[in-house]
Amino acid sequence: MTLGLIATLGLLWTAQEPPPAEPATGTSSAAADLLPPLDPLGLEDPSLLRADLSTSSTTSYDLGGATISGRRRKRALPASQFVVDAQDFAGVPRRDASSQLMLAPGVLTTNAGGEGHAHETFLRGFQAGTGQDIEFLVDGVPLNEVSNAHNHGYADIFFIPPEVVQQVSVTNGVFEPEQGDFAFAGTAEYRLGVPERGSRVSFLQGSFSTSRLVGIVAPHDLPDQTFAAFELYRTNGFGTNRSAQRGLALGRFGQDDGTDALRWSLSLYGYGARWDQAGVVRQDDFERGDIGFFDTYDPNQGGESKRLLTAFDAAVGPTDAELSANVFLQLRDMRIRENFTGFLQDPRGDGAEQRYDAITMGSRGKYELATTAFGQTQELALGWALRYDRGKTQQFRLRDTTAIPYDVVFDRGIDVVNVAGWARTQLRPVDWLAIRGGLRLDTFSFAVVDFDQPTADTEGPRVDNQSTQAFGFALSPRVTLELRPFANASLLFSYGQGTRSSDATALSDNETAPFAVAREVEVGATYRLGSRADGAELQLQAAYVFAAIDQDLVFEPAAGRNILVGPSTRNALLFAARGHLGGWLDALLNVGWTDATLDDTGERLPYIPELVGRADLIAHGALFDWQLGGQPVTGEVGVGFTFVPGRPLPNQLQGDAFYLLDASAEVRLWNFAVGIVGRNLLDLRYRQSEFNYTSNFRGPNLPAPRTPQRHFVAGEPLFLGGTLTVFLEDLFADL
């Protein structure tokens, strides 16, 4: 069917020349040019105007005195793609960029591994762990790490400060040909930019000796996507063995003259972190008083992380014949120490050290065409993705107390090449109907060297390493049907097939590399009432998603990573309501319900929340008629609330529910802003992660318990902090 659509559209091109593009006035960023429109409702988005230009209808945008005219495309995007301008809710307290993913329904992020360890992300029934089931992107650059010792697909986003995240896009499901490896449950993309221009420095001092310094440089005469930022952070943590330190710097510079000529941007990221990890606490030990709620069994747990990343983006041509691409290069180093089982497996200690050292390079791009037929815009896009990873992945067992390695679990060198091509077309025979579909072909070539081989076997001496090679490919069809029964409303039906590549270290020589396959179906609706121009707007999105997985993964504490558990099925309902009132109030309500079960037993998949509810509310504006230094005094209040009922655990147990209330308030006085931040204002003692398995933390010389017990990782108690922001450019201009 999809090939037929592409062929039909190709005939349309030969029959009709595309009309000339009407250039938009004003400035747009090259980074925005390279990305597809995000708005599932087909609403005008001035920040991504160039990406939305086409031969559809002409619309004028009033941007505070500057009027921009352009044409927007009507894209039949999946109903379960949720896009939020993160800056609209910047005043709601968030510890890091990962928590911004909870602006989409059905998403829960936790962190049992310390401030530096990648977050565990739960997405509409998938325990995506630290990344194996979600494709993570930052401005089109993939972040998932292949064959990472800690987890295949590991994605650490601590190098992104939330202040520079302009938009968050979460796609539940695999319905777009652009979605690549690890987009099993979906895709999460961060788009960076600083719409509030000017240079400023912000400082936070809070509970647990926490301090954070952030600086941003965003010149007024340059677009949102040109900026530089840095962050310095340190904390003693809210309990034993939870201290953390990190430093980062990033910047982007681009050039775009607003024409069809070459537009480009260059991005640089640097990051380093060191953190401690408390690990798990046994519930029975806590109830007996043998260990405190925020204590640790093993003080050697923690980690280190380093990253150097650069990316170059470019686009050329009009919006109806545009070629865009990026290239990226990353150097990555990571070490994590954890202990989930104490002395269960070895009297010397079950501590594990996992190391990952790799270089990644690649490119992603596309060529997009648009023309008019039947009075409607028809589209065709061809794209590619190239990626090469080379590095070492290792895991060792550690002695108790000294943390000296005593055994090699694995020690392997990896070379992985991923080459992908895709085609996508959208046909709109009439205004109220669109058919959007495509195919994606992924190929993987694996080469692995095992450095932990014996120096002799039954036939005599041998070298201590051995090579393994494998190759595999996967073809993934995806299609979306959109109906527009009346203005500002859409009904959408989508089908997609996604694949997850194999961990290179699990392959045998000359094997046809297997892929886990997810087949997903979605039915959804979107609706908009009112508009921001009229002072009030309400956007509603709802979707039902069904997913069948042939090879699923579940976290296994004894291994310290995910293991295969067989086929599974998921049903999910997602709902989002986004409201805007009078330029002073923004509200967001998200609800996600999931039923995830193993096909072989019918049991619920452990650790996955069945319900996630989240509400964000922010109000801002002038405070009465007060002025200071000739400038009005303004204020902002943000509130966030999260509710998660008890999550299923192994052996048919149920975890504890938790509900978290966060709030902040800030007042701007002349060129300074002072504020307060509070997280977990109810001071709930909650378990952010819970498990059920067998362990032995009694000691190496005592008998190990034989029955599984509940274990937990404590969540952060009440946090209070004060903030001070200095707007440097404005201050100097007023002196």
Side-chain angles (χ1 to χ4, degrees):
M1 175 181 177
T2 303
L3 293 177
L5 295 177
I6 295 175
T8 301
L9 191 54
L11 293 176
L12 294 176
W13 248 270
T14 62
Q16 179 172 347
E17 290 293 327
E22 298 176 12
T25 61
T27 303
S28 62
S29 76
D33 293 343
L34 304 181
L35 303 170
L38 287 174
D39 195 346
L41 296 177
L43 311 178
E44 296 89 348
D45 183 354
S47 67
L48 295 174
L49 181 61
R50 168 174 282 278
D52 284 342
L53 295 180
S54 76
T55 57
S56 182
S57 58
T58 301
T59 307
S60 295
Y61 305 87
D62 186 0
L63 304 181
T67 300
I68 296 179
S69 296
R71 293 155 299 164
R72 59 183 177 88
R73 288 180 186 159
K74 298 176 181 179
R75 287 283 177 85
L77 298 180
S80 58
Q81 182 177 15
F82 298 90
V83 182
V84 179
D85 188 337
Q87 296 300 316
D88 285 349
F89 296 94
V92 178
R94 304 187 191 280
R95 296 183 66 176
D96 44 57
S98 176
S99 58
Q100 291 176 313
L101 296 178
M102 295 178 64
L103 291 168
V107 180
L108 174 68
T109 61
T110 62
N111 196 332
E115 295 194 66
H117 184 288
H119 289 74
E120 298 86 27
T121 304
F122 301 88
L123 177 62
R124 58 108 179 150
F126 284 81
Q127 184 204 6
T130 50
Q132 86 273 356
D133 285 339
I134 300 177
E135 178 188 35
F136 283 94
L137 304 169
V138 55
D139 288 322
V141 176
L143 301 179
N144 302 80
E145 296 165 6
V146 300
S147 303
N148 186 296
H150 190 64
N151 186 25
H152 181 48
Y154 186 91
D156 165 17
I157 56 175
F158 274 101
F159 71 98
I160 304 174
E163 289 84 355
V164 301
V165 177
Q166 188 169 11
Q167 271 190 337
V168 176
S169 170
V170 176
T171 301
N172 289 267
V174 191
F175 305 116
E176 287 291 296
E178 291 93 328
Q179 293 177 269
D181 194 19
F182 301 111
F184 215 56
T187 298
E189 180 164 12
Y190 292 88
R191 298 192 173 179
L192 308 189
V194 181
E196 183 180 359
R197 309 306 290 173
S199 301
R200 57 190 181 272
V201 175
S202 181
F203 178 73
L204 176 144
Q205 184 67 45
S207 306
F208 325 122
S209 299
T210 300
S211 57
R212 182 171 182 261
L213 179 67
V214 178
I216 296 176
V217 177
H220 287 284
D221 56 346
L222 295 176
D224 294 355
Q225 283 71 35
T226 294
F227 65 91
F230 72 87
E231 177 192 74
L232 298 175
Y233 174 86
R234 64 166 298 167
T235 181
N236 289 342
F238 56 85
T240 306
N241 215 56
R242 285 181 171 86
S243 64
Q245 305 86 35
R246 68 173 176 265
L248 64 88
L250 68 155
R252 175 184 295 148
F253 180 78
Q255 186 172 2
D256 182 355
D257 60 6
T259 70
D260 299 334
L262 179 67
R263 307 171 297 278
W264 61 270
S265 67
L266 176 67
S267 303
L268 296 170
Y269 306 82
Y271 167 77
R274 170 73 182 92
W275 72 94
D276 294 324
Q277 175 182 344
V280 297
V281 169
R282 283 176 59 108
Q283 180 70 22
D284 55 351
D285 286 351
F286 167 66
E287 292 174 347
R288 286 194 303 267
D290 295 340
I291 189 171
F293 191 80
F294 299 107
D295 288 346
T296 184
Y297 294 111
D298 186 350
N300 290 315
Q301 298 176 97
E304 301 168 350
S305 181
K306 305 179 187 68
R307 182 191 304 268
L308 184 62
L309 170 64
T310 183
F312 179 78
D313 304 87
V316 65
T319 56
D320 53 10
E322 182 179 76
L323 176 64
S324 59
N326 69 8
V327 292
F328 53 88
L329 173 66
Q330 176 176 262
L331 302 177
R332 184 79 170 97
D333 182 73
M334 184 208 77
R335 182 180 69 148
I336 292 177
R337 291 178 174 178
E338 294 180 318
N339 190 344
F340 283 95
T341 53
F343 299 93
L344 183 69
Q345 302 176 65
D346 196 294
R348 291 171 291 183
D350 294 351
E353 179 171 295
Q354 297 161 329
R355 304 175 187 172
Y356 184 74
D357 183 4
I359 181 171
T360 300
M361 62 184 69
S363 173
R364 291 158 62 102
K366 59 187 174 182
Y367 181 47
E368 292 186 291
L369 298 169
T371 191
T372 299
F374 313 114
Q376 303 295 325
T377 299
Q378 317 297 332
E379 299 178 36
L380 174 67
L382 303 174
W384 75 87
L386 310 173
R387 176 168 171 170
Y388 173 64
D389 293 86
R390 179 183 179 88
K392 291 196 71 174
T393 179
Q394 303 168 299
Q395 180 169 323
F396 306 95
R397 288 292 185 188
L398 305 179
R399 292 177 186 167
D400 181 52
T401 307
T402 62
I404 295 175
Y406 67 82
D407 188 30
V408 178
V409 180
F410 57 80
D411 181 6
R412 299 184 177 105
I414 58 168
D415 282 272
V416 182
V417 175
N418 174 209
V419 179
W422 55 266
R424 183 195 69 223
T425 182
Q426 177 170 293
L427 294 180
R428 190 177 289 275
V430 291
D431 183 65
W432 54 268
L433 173 65
I435 305 170
R436 180 179 173 92
L439 289 171
R440 181 184 179 93
L441 176 63
D442 277 280
T443 64
F444 282 86
S445 178
F446 301 91
V448 182
V449 179
D450 187 347
F451 294 102
D452 186 34
Q453 293 292 317
T455 57
D457 55 23
T458 56
E459 298 181 8
R462 55 157 295 171
V463 297
D464 61 357
N465 65 79
Q466 185 170 341
S467 297
T468 298
Q469 292 183 325
F471 184 89
F473 69 91
L475 185 65
S476 304
R478 294 153 192 186
V479 64
T480 292
L481 174 68
E482 179 197 35
L483 303 175
R484 291 178 178 261
F486 50 88
N488 298 329
S490 297
L491 297 176
L492 299 108
F493 306 87
S494 300
Y495 170 81
Q497 181 173 303
T499 57
R500 184 205 307 122
S501 64
S502 302
D503 188 327
T505 61
L507 298 171
S508 57
D509 197 24
N510 294 321
E511 178 182 3
T512 299
F515 290 82
V517 178
R519 296 176 175 87
E520 306 183 6
V521 177
E522 171 198 88
V523 179
T526 66
Y527 180 70
R528 183 188 69 176
L529 179 65
S531 68
R532 292 200 177 196
D534 296 331
E537 181 182 61
L538 177 64
Q539 300 180 33
L540 302 175
Q541 282 181 256
Y544 163 75
V545 185
F546 169 82
I549 314 302
D550 69 341
Q551 286 292 337
D552 214 332
L553 294 167
V554 169
F555 179 71
E556 170 52 51
R561 61 205 319 258
N562 295 301
I563 63 170
L564 291 171
V565 293
S568 65
T569 300
R570 287 166 176 78
N571 295 275
L573 292 173
L574 306 171
F575 173 78
R578 170 78 162 85
H580 177 82
L581 180 62
W584 65 273
L585 181 67
D586 284 281
L588 181 64
L589 174 65
N590 290 321
V591 179
W593 172 86
T594 296
D595 178 55
T597 57
L598 285 168
D599 291 355
D600 294 340
T601 64
E603 295 182 13
R604 293 188 182 278
L605 281 162
Y607 313 127
I608 297 173
E610 298 173 78
L611 181 70
V612 177
R614 173 75 187 183
D616 293 88
L617 180 71
I618 191 162
H620 52 86
L623 298 180
F624 309 105
D625 295 325
W626 299 345
Q627 289 193 353
L628 184 64
Q631 296 184 15
V633 176
T634 60
E636 180 177 80
V637 175
V639 179
F641 181 76
T642 303
F643 173 70
V644 179
R647 288 165 282 178
L649 301 176
N651 302 313
Q652 299 183 347
L653 296 180
Q654 196 78 3
D656 294 339
F658 64 83
Y659 42 90
L660 303 175
L661 178 64
D662 308 321
S664 68
E666 184 179 76
V667 176
R668 179 162 179 176
L669 307 168
W670 191 42
N671 295 312
F672 301 87
V674 294
I676 57 173
V677 176
R679 299 194 296 260
N680 191 6
L681 290 176
L682 304 177
D683 199 17
L684 178 70
R685 180 172 284 194
Y686 73 102
R687 296 156 175 80
Q688 64 167 321
S689 297
E690 292 189 81
F691 311 94
N692 192 66
Y693 61 92
T694 303
S695 67
N696 176 25
F697 288 100
R698 296 177 179 177
N701 301 318
L702 295 175
R706 296 181 178 272
T707 58
Q709 291 290 331
R710 289 177 63 178
H711 297 66
F712 66 85
V713 178
E716 182 187 45
L718 173 65
F719 174 91
L720 294 175
T723 63
L724 172 64
T725 302
V726 182
F727 298 87
L728 298 174
E729 273 188 68
D730 296 341
L731 177 63
F732 288 160
D734 291 342
L735 291 179

